[in-house]
Amino acid sequence: MIVCSCNVLTDTAIRTACHTERPRTTGEVYGCLGCSPQCGRCARTIKTILDQALGGNCASGCSVCPMAGTAHTAPAEAA
Ligand code: FES
């Protein structure tokens, strides 16, 4: 699903970046994906995805998480 229409970012791309690049802020998520915020409408959704990834609440519905289906905390602790 397209989350950011300005930069054509999908939720999958954002989750992947959260797990592989480990950004800490919404601004860093854009940077990891090679873009920058434009209108800002997607910032809240991106923050939610980031918080889910960092909080380990992504086990269901996150196909890119190497810890999917297991109880885990932040991906940084899993490395
Ligand atoms: S929808 Fe993401 S910056 Fe506009």
Side-chain angles (χ1 to χ4, degrees):
M1 174 181 73
I2 300 279
V3 170
C4 175
S5 56
C6 294
N7 292 304
V8 193
L9 302 178
T10 65
D11 58 330
T12 301
I14 294 165
R15 283 192 183 92
T16 299
C18 289
H19 288 293
T20 59
E21 306 292 327
R22 312 239 166 107
R24 293 296 174 200
T25 65
T26 303
E28 288 180 7
V29 173
Y30 293 107
C32 291
L33 294 166
C35 60
S36 58
Q38 302 299 316
C39 73
R41 253 188 346 224
C42 59
R44 185 175 298 175
T45 303
I46 290 177
K47 176 80 168 87
T48 298
I49 293 171
L50 176 63
D51 288 346
Q52 288 173 345
L54 296 180
N57 296 323
C58 55
S60 64
C62 181
S63 61
V64 299
C65 180
M67 303 298 286
T70 65
H72 64 285
T73 54
E77 296 174 12

